[in-house]
Structure formats: structure tokens, C-alpha cells
Amino acid sequence: MTIFEIIGWTGAVSYLLSYFLLSFNKLKPNSISYQLMNVIGGFCLVVSAYSTRDNPNLVTNFVWMCIGLIALFSIIMKRKR
């Protein structure tokens, strides 16, 4: 197993775990934990997709990661007020 596969599996686990925890009300969509897990998952899957030149997967996960970053920033800014 290559480092890129390990990174990819880490991203997949992060996505799936965050969705599982959200679905069973262990996390809320506006929680830092949920959004951070999505950002980490997206980043890892972007790195993995880049290594295999899987551009549709790379773009999809990059956009997902950006959505998570924007949501994370928004949550943090609301908490500071």
C-alpha cells in the first residue's frame, strides 16, 4: 500500500465517519467537528485523486473541502460574536 492509498483511505474513513455520526445525531451539521472531518476527508481524497490523475474525483472532493472550509469559517466567526 502506498502513502497515497493510506491518505485516500484516511479521507474515506473521515467522510464516512462524519456522515455516520451526523445521521445518528452524534454530531450537528453546524459543529466544528463535523465540518473539520469533512475538510480533512476532502483534502485527503484530493491528494489521493491527484496521485492517480482522477480529475473528476479531485474536483468533486476539492469543492466539498471548500464548502467545509467556508462552513467552518462561518461557524468560527459566529462563535466569536
Side-chain angles (χ1 to χ4, degrees):
M1 186 175 288
T2 69
I3 187 70
F4 292 108
E5 287 178 295
I6 293 168
I7 292 169
W9 281 111
T10 301
V13 168
S14 182
Y15 270 172
L16 293 172
L17 183 59
S18 69
Y19 185 64
F20 174 83
L21 293 171
L22 179 71
S23 296
F24 289 91
N25 297 315
K26 302 298 180 189
L27 290 177
K28 295 184 181 195
N30 61 344
S31 70
I32 290 176
S33 300
Y34 176 71
Q35 295 302 333
L36 193 57
M37 290 173 79
N38 278 292
V39 170
I40 291 167
F43 177 77
C44 290
L45 288 170
V46 164
V47 170
S48 178
Y50 179 79
S51 76
T52 60
R53 296 191 162 118
D54 183 1
N55 292 329
N57 190 20
L58 186 147
V59 170
T60 301
N61 285 296
F62 180 77
V63 170
W64 189 275
M65 180 185 73
C66 288
I67 292 168
L69 282 170
I70 292 166
L72 193 56
F73 181 74
S74 175
I75 293 165
I76 291 169
M77 294 308 291
K78 283 180 184 175
R79 289 187 180 183
K80 285 187 176 185
R81 289 186 223 168

Coordinates of all heavy atoms in Angstrom, one line a residue:
M1 N 0.9 -1.2 0.0 CA 0.0 0.0 0.0 C 0.9 1.2 0.0 O 1.8 1.3 0.8 CB -0.9 0.0 1.2 CG -1.9 1.1 1.2 SD -3.1 1.1 2.6 CE -4.1 -0.3 2.1
T2 N 0.6 2.2 -0.9 CA 1.4 3.4 -1.0 C 0.9 4.5 0.0 O -0.2 4.3 0.5 CB 1.3 4.0 -2.4 OG1 0.0 4.5 -2.6 CG2 1.7 3.0 -3.5
I3 N 1.7 5.5 0.2 CA 1.3 6.6 1.1 C 0.0 7.3 0.6 O -0.8 7.7 1.3 CB 2.4 7.6 1.3 CG1 2.1 8.7 2.3 CG2 2.8 8.3 0.0 CD1 2.0 8.1 3.7
F4 N -0.1 7.3 -0.8 CA -1.3 8.0 -1.3 C -2.6 7.1 -1.1 O -3.7 7.7 -0.9 CB -1.1 8.2 -2.8 CG -0.1 9.3 -3.1 CD1 1.1 8.9 -3.6 CD2 -0.3 10.6 -2.8 CE1 2.1 9.9 -3.9 CE2 0.6 11.6 -3.0 CZ 1.9 11.2 -3.6
E5 N -2.5 5.8 -1.1 CA -3.6 5.0 -0.7 C -4.0 5.1 0.7 O -5.2 5.2 1.0 CB -3.3 3.5 -1.0 CG -3.2 3.2 -2.5 CD -2.9 1.7 -2.7 OE1 -1.7 1.3 -2.4 OE2 -3.7 1.0 -3.2
I6 N -3.0 5.2 1.6 CA -3.3 5.4 3.0 C -4.0 6.8 3.2 O -4.9 6.9 4.0 CB -2.0 5.3 3.8 CG1 -1.4 3.9 3.8 CG2 -2.2 5.8 5.3 CD1 0.0 3.8 4.3
I7 N -3.5 7.8 2.5 CA -4.1 9.1 2.6 C -5.5 9.0 2.1 O -6.5 9.6 2.7 CB -3.3 10.2 1.9 CG1 -2.0 10.4 2.6 CG2 -4.1 11.5 1.7 CD1 -1.0 11.2 1.8
G8 N -5.8 8.4 1.0 CA -7.1 8.2 0.4 C -8.0 7.5 1.4 O -9.2 7.9 1.6
W9 N -7.6 6.4 2.0 CA -8.4 5.6 2.9 C -8.7 6.5 4.2 O -9.8 6.4 4.7 CB -7.8 4.3 3.3 CG -8.0 3.3 2.2 CD1 -7.0 2.7 1.4 CD2 -9.2 2.7 1.8 NE1 -7.6 1.8 0.6 CE2 -8.9 1.8 0.8 CE3 -10.5 2.8 2.3 CZ2 -10.0 1.0 0.2 CZ3 -11.5 2.1 1.7 CH2 -11.2 1.2 0.6
T10 N -7.8 7.3 4.6 CA -8.0 8.2 5.7 C -9.1 9.2 5.4 O -10.0 9.4 6.2 CB -6.7 8.9 6.1 OG1 -5.7 8.0 6.4 CG2 -6.9 9.9 7.3
G11 N -9.1 9.7 4.2 CA -10.1 10.6 3.7 C -11.5 9.9 3.7 O -12.5 10.5 4.1
A12 N -11.5 8.7 3.1 CA -12.8 8.0 3.0 C -13.4 7.7 4.4 O -14.6 7.9 4.6 CB -12.6 6.7 2.3
V13 N -12.5 7.3 5.3 CA -13.0 7.0 6.7 C -13.5 8.3 7.4 O -14.5 8.3 8.0 CB -11.9 6.3 7.5 CG1 -12.2 6.3 9.0 CG2 -11.6 4.9 7.0
S14 N -12.8 9.4 7.1 CA -13.2 10.6 7.7 C -14.6 11.0 7.2 O -15.5 11.4 8.0 CB -12.2 11.7 7.4 OG -12.6 12.9 8.0
Y15 N -14.8 10.9 5.9 CA -16.2 11.2 5.3 C -17.2 10.3 5.9 O -18.3 10.8 6.3 CB -16.1 11.0 3.8 CG -15.8 12.2 2.9 CD1 -15.6 12.0 1.5 CD2 -15.6 13.4 3.4 CE1 -15.2 13.0 0.7 CE2 -15.2 14.5 2.6 CZ -15.1 14.2 1.2 OH -14.7 15.3 0.4
L16 N -17.0 9.0 5.8 CA -18.0 8.1 6.3 C -18.3 8.2 7.8 O -19.5 8.1 8.2 CB -17.5 6.6 5.9 CG -17.5 6.3 4.4 CD1 -16.8 5.0 4.2 CD2 -18.9 6.4 3.8
L17 N -17.3 8.4 8.6 CA -17.5 8.5 10.0 C -18.3 9.8 10.3 O -19.2 9.8 11.1 CB -16.1 8.6 10.7 CG -16.2 8.6 12.3 CD1 -17.0 7.5 12.8 CD2 -14.8 8.7 12.8
S18 N -18.0 10.9 9.6 CA -18.7 12.2 9.9 C -20.2 12.0 9.5 O -21.0 12.5 10.2 CB -18.0 13.3 9.1 OG -18.2 13.2 7.7
Y19 N -20.4 11.3 8.4 CA -21.8 11.1 7.9 C -22.6 10.2 8.9 O -23.7 10.4 9.2 CB -21.8 10.6 6.5 CG -23.2 10.5 6.0 CD1 -24.0 11.7 5.8 CD2 -23.8 9.3 5.6 CE1 -25.3 11.6 5.3 CE2 -25.1 9.2 5.2 CZ -25.9 10.3 5.0 OH -27.1 10.2 4.5
F20 N -21.9 9.2 9.3 CA -22.5 8.2 10.3 C -22.8 9.0 11.6 O -24.0 8.8 12.1 CB -21.5 7.1 10.6 CG -22.0 6.2 11.7 CD1 -22.9 5.1 11.4 CD2 -21.5 6.3 13.0 CE1 -23.3 4.3 12.4 CE2 -22.0 5.5 14.0 CZ -22.9 4.4 13.7
L21 N -21.9 9.7 12.1 CA -22.2 10.5 13.4 C -23.3 11.5 13.2 O -24.1 11.7 14.1 CB -20.9 11.1 13.9 CG -19.8 10.1 14.3 CD1 -18.5 10.8 14.6 CD2 -20.2 9.3 15.5
L22 N -23.3 12.2 12.0 CA -24.4 13.1 11.8 C -25.7 12.4 11.7 O -26.7 12.9 12.3 CB -24.1 13.8 10.4 CG -25.1 14.9 10.0 CD1 -25.1 16.1 10.9 CD2 -24.9 15.2 8.5
S23 N -25.8 11.3 11.0 CA -27.0 10.6 10.8 C -27.6 10.0 12.1 O -28.8 9.9 12.2 CB -26.8 9.4 9.8 OG -26.4 9.9 8.6
F24 N -26.7 9.7 13.1 CA -27.2 9.2 14.3 C -27.2 10.2 15.5 O -27.1 9.9 16.6 CB -26.4 7.9 14.7 CG -26.8 6.8 13.8 CD1 -26.1 6.5 12.7 CD2 -27.9 6.0 14.2 CE1 -26.5 5.5 11.8 CE2 -28.2 4.9 13.3 CZ -27.5 4.7 12.2
N25 N -27.2 11.5 15.0 CA -27.3 12.7 15.9 C -26.2 12.8 17.0 O -26.4 13.2 18.1 CB -28.7 12.7 16.6 CG -29.8 12.8 15.7 OD1 -29.7 13.7 14.8 ND2 -30.8 12.0 15.8
K26 N -25.0 12.3 16.6 CA -23.9 12.4 17.5 C -23.1 13.7 17.2 O -22.4 14.2 18.0 CB -22.9 11.2 17.4 CG -23.6 9.9 17.7 CD -24.1 9.8 19.1 CE -24.7 8.5 19.4 NZ -25.4 8.5 20.7
L27 N -23.3 14.2 16.0 CA -22.7 15.5 15.5 C -23.8 16.3 14.9 O -24.8 15.8 14.4 CB -21.6 15.3 14.5 CG -20.3 14.7 14.9 CD1 -19.4 14.5 13.7 CD2 -19.6 15.5 16.0
K28 N -23.7 17.6 14.9 CA -24.6 18.5 14.3 C -23.9 19.1 13.0 O -22.7 19.3 13.0 CB -25.0 19.6 15.2 CG -25.8 19.1 16.4 CD -26.3 20.2 17.3 CE -27.0 19.5 18.5 NZ -27.8 20.4 19.2
P29 N -24.7 19.4 12.0 CA -24.1 20.0 10.8 C -23.4 21.3 11.0 O -22.4 21.6 10.3 CB -25.3 20.2 9.8 CG -26.5 19.9 10.6 CD -26.2 19.3 11.9
N30 N -23.7 22.0 12.0 CA -23.0 23.3 12.3 C -22.0 23.2 13.4 O -21.5 24.2 14.0 CB -24.0 24.4 12.7 CG -24.8 24.1 13.9 OD1 -24.8 22.9 14.4 ND2 -25.5 25.0 14.5
S31 N -21.5 21.9 13.6 CA -20.4 21.7 14.6 C -19.1 21.8 13.9 O -18.9 21.4 12.7 CB -20.6 20.4 15.3 OG -20.3 19.3 14.4
I32 N -18.1 22.3 14.6 CA -16.7 22.4 14.1 C -16.2 21.0 13.8 O -15.6 20.8 12.8 CB -15.8 23.1 15.1 CG1 -16.2 24.6 15.2 CG2 -14.4 22.9 14.8 CD1 -15.5 25.4 16.2
S33 N -16.5 20.0 14.7 CA -16.1 18.6 14.5 C -16.5 18.1 13.1 O -15.7 17.5 12.4 CB -16.5 17.7 15.6 OG -16.1 18.2 16.8
Y34 N -17.8 18.2 12.8 CA -18.4 17.7 11.6 C -17.7 18.4 10.4 O -17.3 17.7 9.4 CB -19.9 17.9 11.5 CG -20.5 17.5 10.2 CD1 -20.6 16.1 9.9 CD2 -21.0 18.4 9.3 CE1 -21.1 15.7 8.7 CE2 -21.5 18.0 8.1 CZ -21.6 16.7 7.8 OH -22.1 16.3 6.6
Q35 N -17.6 19.7 10.4 CA -17.0 20.4 9.2 C -15.5 20.1 9.1 O -15.0 19.9 8.0 CB -17.3 21.9 9.4 CG -18.7 22.3 9.3 CD -19.4 21.8 8.0 OE1 -18.8 21.7 7.0 NE2 -20.7 21.6 8.1
L36 N -14.8 20.0 10.2 CA -13.4 19.6 10.2 C -13.2 18.2 9.6 O -12.3 18.0 8.8 CB -12.8 19.8 11.6 CG -11.3 19.8 11.7 CD1 -10.7 20.9 10.8 CD2 -10.9 19.9 13.1
M37 N -14.0 17.3 10.0 CA -13.9 15.9 9.4 C -14.1 15.9 7.9 O -13.5 15.2 7.2 CB -14.9 15.0 10.1 CG -14.5 14.7 11.6 SD -15.8 13.7 12.4 CE -15.4 12.1 11.8
N38 N -15.0 16.8 7.4 CA -15.3 16.9 6.0 C -14.1 17.6 5.3 O -13.7 17.1 4.2 CB -16.6 17.6 5.7 CG -17.8 16.7 5.8 OD1 -18.0 15.8 5.0 ND2 -18.6 16.9 6.8
V39 N -13.5 18.6 5.9 CA -12.4 19.2 5.3 C -11.2 18.3 5.2 O -10.5 18.2 4.2 CB -12.0 20.5 6.1 CG1 -10.7 21.1 5.6 CG2 -13.1 21.6 5.9
I40 N -10.9 17.6 6.3 CA -9.8 16.6 6.3 C -10.1 15.5 5.3 O -9.2 15.1 4.5 CB -9.6 16.0 7.7 CG1 -9.1 17.1 8.7 CG2 -8.7 14.8 7.7 CD1 -9.2 16.7 10.1
G41 N -11.3 15.0 5.3 CA -11.6 13.9 4.3 C -11.5 14.4 2.9 O -10.9 13.7 2.0
G42 N -11.9 15.6 2.6 CA -11.8 16.2 1.3 C -10.4 16.4 0.9 O -10.0 16.0 -0.2
F43 N -9.6 16.9 1.8 CA -8.2 17.1 1.5 C -7.4 15.8 1.2 O -6.7 15.7 0.2 CB -7.5 17.9 2.7 CG -6.0 18.0 2.4 CD1 -5.5 19.0 1.6 CD2 -5.1 17.2 3.1 CE1 -4.2 19.2 1.4 CE2 -3.7 17.4 2.8 CZ -3.3 18.4 2.0
C44 N -7.7 14.8 2.0 CA -7.0 13.5 1.8 C -7.4 12.9 0.5 O -6.6 12.4 -0.2 CB -7.4 12.6 2.9 SG -6.6 13.0 4.5
L45 N -8.7 13.0 0.1 CA -9.2 12.4 -1.1 C -8.7 13.3 -2.3 O -8.5 12.7 -3.4 CB -10.7 12.3 -1.1 CG -11.1 11.1 -0.2 CD1 -12.6 11.1 0.0 CD2 -10.7 9.8 -0.7
V46 N -8.5 14.6 -2.2 CA -7.9 15.4 -3.2 C -6.5 14.9 -3.5 O -6.0 14.7 -4.6 CB -7.9 16.9 -2.9 CG1 -7.0 17.7 -3.8 CG2 -9.3 17.4 -3.0
V47 N -5.7 14.7 -2.4 CA -4.3 14.2 -2.6 C -4.3 12.9 -3.3 O -3.5 12.6 -4.2 CB -3.6 14.2 -1.2 CG1 -2.3 13.5 -1.3 CG2 -3.5 15.6 -0.6
S48 N -5.2 12.0 -2.8 CA -5.2 10.7 -3.4 C -5.6 10.7 -4.9 O -5.0 10.0 -5.7 CB -6.2 9.8 -2.6 OG -6.3 8.5 -3.2
A49 N -6.6 11.5 -5.2 CA -7.1 11.6 -6.6 C -6.0 12.3 -7.5 O -5.8 11.9 -8.6 CB -8.4 12.5 -6.7
Y50 N -5.3 13.2 -6.9 CA -4.2 13.9 -7.7 C -3.1 12.8 -8.1 O -2.6 12.8 -9.2 CB -3.6 15.0 -6.9 CG -2.4 15.7 -7.6 CD1 -2.6 16.6 -8.6 CD2 -1.1 15.4 -7.2 CE1 -1.6 17.2 -9.2 CE2 0.0 16.0 -7.9 CZ -0.3 16.9 -8.9 OH 0.7 17.5 -9.5
S51 N -2.8 11.9 -7.1 CA -1.8 11.0 -7.4 C -2.1 10.0 -8.5 O -1.3 9.4 -9.1 CB -1.4 10.2 -6.1 OG -2.4 9.2 -5.8
T52 N -3.4 9.8 -8.7 CA -3.9 8.8 -9.7 C -4.4 9.5 -10.9 O -4.9 8.9 -11.9 CB -5.0 7.9 -9.2 OG1 -6.1 8.7 -8.7 CG2 -4.4 7.0 -8.0
R53 N -4.4 10.9 -10.9 CA -4.9 11.7 -12.0 C -6.4 11.5 -12.3 O -6.9 11.5 -13.4 CB -4.1 11.5 -13.3 CG -2.7 11.9 -13.1 CD -2.0 12.0 -14.5 NE -0.8 12.8 -14.3 CZ 0.5 12.3 -14.4 NH1 0.7 11.1 -14.8 NH2 1.5 13.1 -14.3
D54 N -7.1 11.3 -11.2 CA -8.6 11.1 -11.3 C -9.2 12.5 -11.1 O -9.7 12.8 -10.0 CB -9.0 10.1 -10.2 CG -10.5 9.8 -10.2 OD1 -11.2 10.3 -11.1 OD2 -10.9 9.0 -9.3
N55 N -9.3 13.2 -12.2 CA -9.7 14.6 -12.1 C -11.1 14.8 -11.7 O -11.4 15.7 -10.9 CB -9.4 15.3 -13.5 CG -7.9 15.4 -13.7 OD1 -7.1 15.6 -12.7 ND2 -7.5 15.4 -14.9
P56 N -12.1 14.0 -12.1 CA -13.5 14.3 -11.7 C -13.6 14.1 -10.1 O -14.2 14.9 -9.4 CB -14.3 13.2 -12.4 CG -13.5 12.9 -13.6 CD -12.1 13.0 -13.2
N57 N -12.9 13.1 -9.6 CA -12.9 12.8 -8.2 C -12.1 14.0 -7.5 O -12.6 14.5 -6.4 CB -12.2 11.5 -7.9 CG -12.3 11.0 -6.5 OD1 -13.2 11.5 -5.7 ND2 -11.5 10.1 -6.1
L58 N -11.0 14.4 -8.0 CA -10.3 15.5 -7.4 C -11.1 16.8 -7.3 O -11.2 17.4 -6.3 CB -9.0 15.8 -8.3 CG -8.0 16.8 -7.8 CD1 -6.6 16.4 -8.2 CD2 -8.3 18.2 -8.2
V59 N -11.8 17.2 -8.4 CA -12.6 18.4 -8.4 C -13.8 18.3 -7.5 O -14.0 19.2 -6.7 CB -13.1 18.7 -9.9 CG1 -14.1 19.8 -9.9 CG2 -11.9 19.1 -10.8
T60 N -14.4 17.1 -7.5 CA -15.6 16.9 -6.6 C -15.1 17.1 -5.1 O -15.8 17.8 -4.3 CB -16.2 15.6 -6.8 OG1 -16.7 15.5 -8.1 CG2 -17.4 15.3 -5.8
N61 N -14.1 16.4 -4.7 CA -13.6 16.5 -3.4 C -13.0 17.8 -3.0 O -13.1 18.3 -1.8 CB -12.6 15.4 -3.1 CG -13.4 14.1 -2.9 OD1 -14.1 13.9 -2.0 ND2 -13.1 13.1 -3.8
F62 N -12.4 18.5 -4.0 CA -11.9 19.9 -3.7 C -13.1 20.8 -3.4 O -13.0 21.6 -2.5 CB -11.1 20.4 -4.9 CG -10.6 21.8 -4.7 CD1 -9.4 22.0 -3.9 CD2 -11.2 22.9 -5.3 CE1 -9.0 23.3 -3.7 CE2 -10.7 24.1 -5.1 CZ -9.6 24.3 -4.3
V63 N -14.1 20.7 -4.2 CA -15.3 21.6 -3.9 C -15.9 21.2 -2.6 O -16.3 22.1 -1.8 CB -16.3 21.4 -5.1 CG1 -17.7 22.1 -4.7 CG2 -15.8 22.0 -6.4
W64 N -16.0 19.9 -2.3 CA -16.5 19.5 -1.0 C -15.7 20.1 0.2 O -16.2 20.6 1.2 CB -16.6 18.0 -0.9 CG -17.3 17.4 0.3 CD1 -16.8 17.2 1.5 CD2 -18.6 17.0 0.3 NE1 -17.7 16.7 2.4 CE2 -18.9 16.5 1.6 CE3 -19.6 16.9 -0.6 CZ2 -20.1 16.0 2.0 CZ3 -20.9 16.4 -0.2 CH2 -21.1 16.0 1.1
M65 N -14.4 20.0 0.0 CA -13.5 20.6 1.0 C -13.7 22.1 1.2 O -13.7 22.6 2.3 CB -12.0 20.3 0.6 CG -11.0 20.8 1.6 SD -9.3 20.5 1.0 CE -9.2 21.7 -0.3
C66 N -13.8 22.8 0.1 CA -14.0 24.2 0.1 C -15.3 24.6 0.8 O -15.4 25.6 1.6 CB -14.0 24.8 -1.3 SG -12.3 24.8 -2.0
I67 N -16.4 23.8 0.5 CA -17.7 24.1 1.2 C -17.5 23.9 2.7 O -17.9 24.7 3.5 CB -18.7 23.1 0.7 CG1 -19.1 23.5 -0.8 CG2 -20.0 23.2 1.6 CD1 -19.9 22.4 -1.5
G68 N -16.7 22.9 3.1 CA -16.5 22.6 4.5 C -15.6 23.7 5.1 O -15.9 24.2 6.3
L69 N -14.7 24.2 4.4 CA -13.8 25.3 4.9 C -14.7 26.6 5.1 O -14.5 27.3 6.1 CB -12.7 25.6 3.9 CG -11.5 24.7 4.0 CD1 -10.5 24.9 2.8 CD2 -10.8 24.8 5.3
I70 N -15.5 26.9 4.1 CA -16.4 28.1 4.2 C -17.3 27.9 5.4 O -17.5 28.9 6.2 CB -17.2 28.3 2.9 CG1 -16.2 28.7 1.8 CG2 -18.3 29.4 3.1 CD1 -16.8 28.7 0.4
A71 N -17.9 26.7 5.6 CA -18.8 26.5 6.7 C -18.1 26.6 8.0 O -18.6 27.2 9.0 CB -19.5 25.1 6.6
L72 N -16.9 26.0 8.1 CA -16.0 26.1 9.3 C -15.7 27.5 9.7 O -15.9 27.9 10.8 CB -14.8 25.3 9.0 CG -13.9 24.9 10.2 CD1 -14.6 24.2 11.3 CD2 -12.7 24.1 9.7
F73 N -15.3 28.3 8.7 CA -15.0 29.7 8.9 C -16.3 30.5 9.4 O -16.2 31.2 10.4 CB -14.5 30.4 7.6 CG -14.2 31.8 7.7 CD1 -13.0 32.2 8.4 CD2 -15.0 32.8 7.2 CE1 -12.7 33.5 8.5 CE2 -14.7 34.1 7.3 CZ -13.5 34.5 8.0
S74 N -17.4 30.2 8.8 CA -18.7 30.8 9.2 C -19.0 30.5 10.7 O -19.4 31.3 11.5 CB -19.8 30.4 8.3 OG -21.0 30.9 8.7
I75 N -18.9 29.2 11.1 CA -19.1 28.8 12.4 C -18.2 29.5 13.4 O -18.7 30.0 14.4 CB -19.0 27.2 12.5 CG1 -20.1 26.5 11.7 CG2 -19.0 26.8 14.0 CD1 -19.8 25.0 11.5
I76 N -17.0 29.5 13.1 CA -16.0 30.2 14.0 C -16.3 31.6 14.1 O -16.2 32.2 15.2 CB -14.6 29.9 13.5 CG1 -14.2 28.4 13.6 CG2 -13.5 30.8 14.2 CD1 -12.9 28.0 12.9
M77 N -16.6 32.3 13.0 CA -16.9 33.7 13.1 C -18.2 34.0 13.9 O -18.2 35.0 14.7 CB -17.1 34.3 11.7 CG -15.8 34.3 10.9 SD -14.4 35.0 11.8 CE -14.8 36.8 11.8
K78 N -19.2 33.2 13.8 CA -20.4 33.3 14.6 C -20.2 33.2 16.1 O -20.8 33.8 16.9 CB -21.5 32.4 14.1 CG -22.1 32.8 12.8 CD -23.2 31.8 12.4 CE -23.8 32.1 11.0 NZ -24.7 31.1 10.6
R79 N -19.3 32.2 16.4 CA -19.0 32.0 17.8 C -18.2 33.1 18.4 O -18.2 33.3 19.6 CB -18.2 30.7 18.0 CG -19.2 29.5 17.7 CD -18.5 28.2 18.0 NE -19.4 27.1 17.7 CZ -19.1 25.9 18.0 NH1 -17.9 25.5 18.5 NH2 -20.0 24.9 17.7
K80 N -17.4 33.8 17.6 CA -16.6 35.0 18.1 C -17.5 36.2 18.4 O -17.1 37.0 19.2 CB -15.5 35.3 17.1 CG -14.4 34.4 17.1 CD -13.3 34.9 16.2 CE -12.1 33.9 16.3 NZ -10.9 34.4 15.6
R81 N -18.7 36.3 17.8 CA -19.5 37.4 18.1 C -20.2 37.4 19.4 O -20.4 36.6 20.1 CB -20.6 37.5 17.0 CG -20.0 37.9 15.7 CD -21.1 38.1 14.7 NE -20.7 37.5 13.4 CZ -21.5 37.3 12.4 NH1 -22.7 37.6 12.5 NH2 -21.0 36.8 11.3

